[in-house]
Amino acid sequence: FNPRGNYLAFLGRICPEKGVDRAIAIARASGLPLKIAAKVDKVDEAYFRETIMPLLTGPDVEFVGEINERAKTAFLGNARALLFPIDWPEPFGLALIESMACGTPVLAFRRGSVPEIVDEGVTGSIVSTPGEAIRALPGVLSLDRQAVRRRFEERFSASRMAGDYLK
């Protein structure tokens, strides 16, 4: 559970409500590089070109593009933390539990299902603003990655979810 990369991760789609622009700002303020693994849907190409591409300058932000499941495990597992600065009522947040499955803590915005998924101080931290995120990040980076993985197993493993469904 020792990440090989000294970077923060963003995983998802490039669109205004997913907050990649905020993730870039948070990472830059923290002094840690950010790797962005995200797809750009046709409907969001102009947003990506006009708003996000100008922010991808410098060696501190790397746009990886869309990645497959195998690459996702290494991408998340080697990250210091996942940034999830959403600005919409996220119905579930699969990227959150994918990150936790790798033992990688999350820093997420308090929207939608986030408070139901993230265990404050165990699997990550929940914030409401970029300023709060910057202040919370050192605590997130110091979380016990084995404890993150254990909580994932307790709450979101396939066997746990199937057992709950059968009950």
Side-chain angles (χ1 to χ4, degrees):
F1 286 109
N2 292 323
R4 289 194 213 111
N6 188 36
Y7 62 90
L8 301 172
F10 176 92
L11 177 68
R13 286 182 295 117
I14 300 286
C15 57
E17 61 269 19
K18 292 291 188 170
V20 72
D21 54 336
R22 286 186 296 277
I24 293 168
I26 293 162
R28 285 197 164 129
S30 77
L32 284 169
L34 177 68
K35 290 189 180 189
I36 302 165
K39 68 184 281 187
V40 181
D41 289 332
K42 207 154 203 54
V43 68
D44 294 306
E45 284 176 358
Y47 170 74
F48 176 66
R49 197 173 44 257
E50 296 162 16
T51 304
I52 301 305
M53 279 186 71
L55 301 175
L56 301 178
T57 58
D60 59 339
V61 178
E62 179 185 349
F63 180 71
V64 177
E66 189 172 0
I67 58 176
N68 63 28
E69 291 302 314
R70 179 190 232 167
K72 194 185 296 183
T73 300
F75 175 76
L76 290 170
N78 286 319
R80 303 266 319 270
L82 174 75
L83 299 182
F84 199 76
I86 57 170
D87 190 25
W88 77 300
E90 180 75 52
F92 184 69
L94 186 58
L96 294 171
I97 66 166
E98 289 173 325
S99 184
M100 293 175 201
C102 296
T104 302
V106 300
L107 179 56
F109 277 38
R110 186 181 317 280
R111 298 295 307 270
S113 63
V114 167
E116 298 170 44
I117 297 171
V118 179
D119 291 315
E120 183 69 42
V122 178
T123 59
S125 190
I126 303 170
V127 298
S128 298
T129 67
E132 287 179 18
I134 293 161
R135 290 188 296 278
L137 188 56
V140 171
L141 297 176
S142 71
L143 291 174
D144 178 347
R145 293 173 72 96
Q146 290 182 334
V148 172
R149 172 62 190 196
R150 274 193 307 274
R151 188 59 59 95
F152 163 80
E153 289 288 336
E154 292 166 3
R155 297 190 62 211
F156 300 110
S157 67
S159 58
R160 162 70 198 274
M161 301 292 274
D164 286 357
Y165 179 76
L166 290 172
K167 285 181 196 173

